[in-house]
Amino acid sequence: MRASARMTCARSRSEPQEKTEAMIMRPIDLLLSETPATRRTVALSEGSDPRVVAGAIFAVQQGIADIILVGDTEAVIAHLGDDVPAGIVVHDPATSPLTTSLAEAFHRVRAHKGMSAKGAAQAVLNPLIYAAMLVREGHADGTVGGAVETTSDVVRAAVQVIGKAPGVAMVSSLFLMYPPEGATGGRAMVYADCGLVIDPSTEELADIAVASAASCRALLRIEPRIAMLSFSTKGSARHPAVSKVTQATEHLRAAHAELIIDGEMQFDAAFVPSVGASKAPGSAVAGHANVMIFPDLDAGNIAYKITQRVGGYTAIGPVLQGLAKPANDLSRGCSEADVTQMIAVTVLQAIA
């Protein structure tokens, strides 16, 4: 893998917090700056994809994680070569000694949905299900897929096998957004939900915000300042779409007094200090938000792509949140570096 796979750090210059002038490090660099008490293991469900193999090798070489590559043994070894690096093992669901026990466990998980023992044995041969079962049964700390499989298949396997975290109503997603190196006024941010929940209700919007705040702490290591975004700022427009955002904000303030949150708010008021001071004077969030909660998937998905393609930001994701244990999705157009970064994200979630 190219040396450029290791991302550089990005400086956050706009946050009125203790890390105002601190380097906001990307997932790989966060892990390389620390020495976790326990080295985590990540199961990659598409072990026969050359990008996944290359990303796994780099992750192991850098000490980010140990890796289980799931897939047909011959296909995986064709990309690994005969000299398999220490820290990488290959699991072929068709021949693995764990397959029988994982199938039995999966049957117990899905029997209430009508799954037979025979159906469970067949399902576990699917690398997505096999990798997720490795996580559920404690053989791995997290899993990553999506370089070949669709997002819907990756998320379905994660929800069916790993399940939602206790007390969490829904699974959602986020993108980590990092400014171009040396950018003036740029800062690392969480964008949610940009990849999964199409039209969240008021309650779902609040759930996404709570999950994103926890993800901000785990993945950016900064205190979240949450902007509930809309096309209106503080009553400048009236519409049911605006009311959904204001009601979600009020719900969050009542239920989570510990969160620094404000809304409804336009993006410029949330991001630009001078605009925030004008449109929302006295707000602890306006002009300094680092968690952007979009009112629906249309807005979130369009916004992250514009930020990435026009603004030059690096987007890492979609990162899944709300699961009992980490499982993450890759873009089918991902690079080797994207695979390594998502492995690092998964390890950070496991640590948190």
Side-chain angles (χ1 to χ4, degrees):
M1 173 174 283
R2 298 182 303 273
S4 60
R6 179 176 175 181
M7 305 295 186
T8 55
C9 300
R11 184 180 295 275
S12 173
R13 295 187 174 89
S14 304
E15 294 153 13
Q17 314 172 45
E18 65 274 11
K19 284 195 174 184
T20 299
E21 291 299 327
M23 297 295 283
I24 301 301
M25 293 187 283
R26 304 186 190 201
I28 288 177
D29 299 297
L30 271 174
L31 287 173
L32 294 179
S33 71
E34 301 174 349
T35 305
T38 303
R39 181 149 157 163
R40 266 57 178 193
T41 299
V42 177
L44 305 182
S45 59
E46 296 156 332
S48 58
D49 186 281
R51 298 165 297 171
V52 171
V53 172
I57 291 172
F58 191 78
V60 167
Q61 289 174 339
Q62 295 298 310
I64 293 168
D66 291 330
I67 299 294
I68 299 173
L69 291 172
V70 180
D72 176 79
T73 300
E74 290 187 6
V76 177
I77 294 297
H79 298 299
L80 268 177
D82 295 328
D83 187 17
V84 179
I88 294 181
V89 295
V90 179
H91 283 212
D92 186 339
T95 59
S96 170
L98 292 176
T99 298
T100 298
S101 63
L102 294 181
E104 292 170 352
F106 188 51
H107 180 227
R108 291 193 296 271
V109 171
R110 301 296 295 173
H112 72 290
K113 293 290 187 179
M115 176 163 286
S116 65
K118 183 178 179 180
Q122 185 63 37
V124 168
L125 296 178
N126 181 327
L128 278 175
I129 301 296
Y130 182 96
M133 283 302 301
L134 287 177
V135 177
R136 182 182 178 92
E137 294 300 298
H139 301 288
D141 298 291
T143 181
V144 176
V148 178
E149 301 289 347
T150 64
T151 293
S152 60
D153 286 340
V154 172
V155 174
R156 186 181 303 110
V159 172
Q160 288 182 352
V161 176
I162 297 173
K164 293 180 290 188
V168 172
M170 63 183 297
V171 176
S172 58
S173 74
L174 64 91
F175 276 82
L176 299 173
M177 306 299 297
Y178 294 90
E181 188 174 5
T184 301
R187 60 181 173 273
M189 294 177 286
V190 167
Y191 277 22
D193 185 333
C194 304
L196 195 58
V197 185
I198 296 175
D199 187 18
S201 66
T202 296
E203 294 75 17
E204 289 172 336
L205 205 57
D207 288 341
I208 291 169
V210 172
S212 299
S215 294
C216 179
R217 294 188 183 98
L219 302 177
L220 297 182
R221 303 292 176 83
I222 55 178
E223 187 63 22
R225 291 177 180 265
I226 308 164
M228 304 296 287
L229 298 177
S230 175
F231 60 83
S232 169
T233 299
K234 299 295 186 179
S236 64
R238 296 182 182 275
H239 189 273
V242 176
S243 298
K244 179 177 80 169
V245 177
T246 58
Q247 290 166 10
T249 305
E250 291 167 1
H251 173 77
L252 283 164
R253 283 176 171 156
H256 296 277
E258 77 282 2
L259 294 178
I260 304 172
I261 186 167
D262 206 355
E264 89 283 7
M265 193 173 293
Q266 292 161 290
F267 186 90
D268 59 348
F271 186 75
V272 182
S274 60
V275 177
S278 173
K279 291 187 174 184
S283 171
V285 172
H288 304 288
N290 53 29
V291 177
M292 304 292 188
I293 305 300
F294 295 88
D296 56 39
L297 189 61
D298 274 338
N301 195 268
I302 291 168
Y304 105 76
K305 290 182 183 294
I306 290 175
T307 306
Q308 180 185 33
R309 302 300 180 182
V310 178
Y313 272 60
T314 297
I316 298 177
V319 177
L320 302 182
Q321 54 186 7
L323 292 164
K325 294 182 180 181
N328 283 307
D329 183 32
L330 292 162
S331 165
R332 281 176 284 176
C334 67
S335 66
E336 302 165 4
D338 295 331
V339 174
T340 306
Q341 285 285 20
M342 195 58 79
I343 291 169
V345 165
T346 305
V347 171
L348 287 172
Q349 289 177 314
I351 291 171

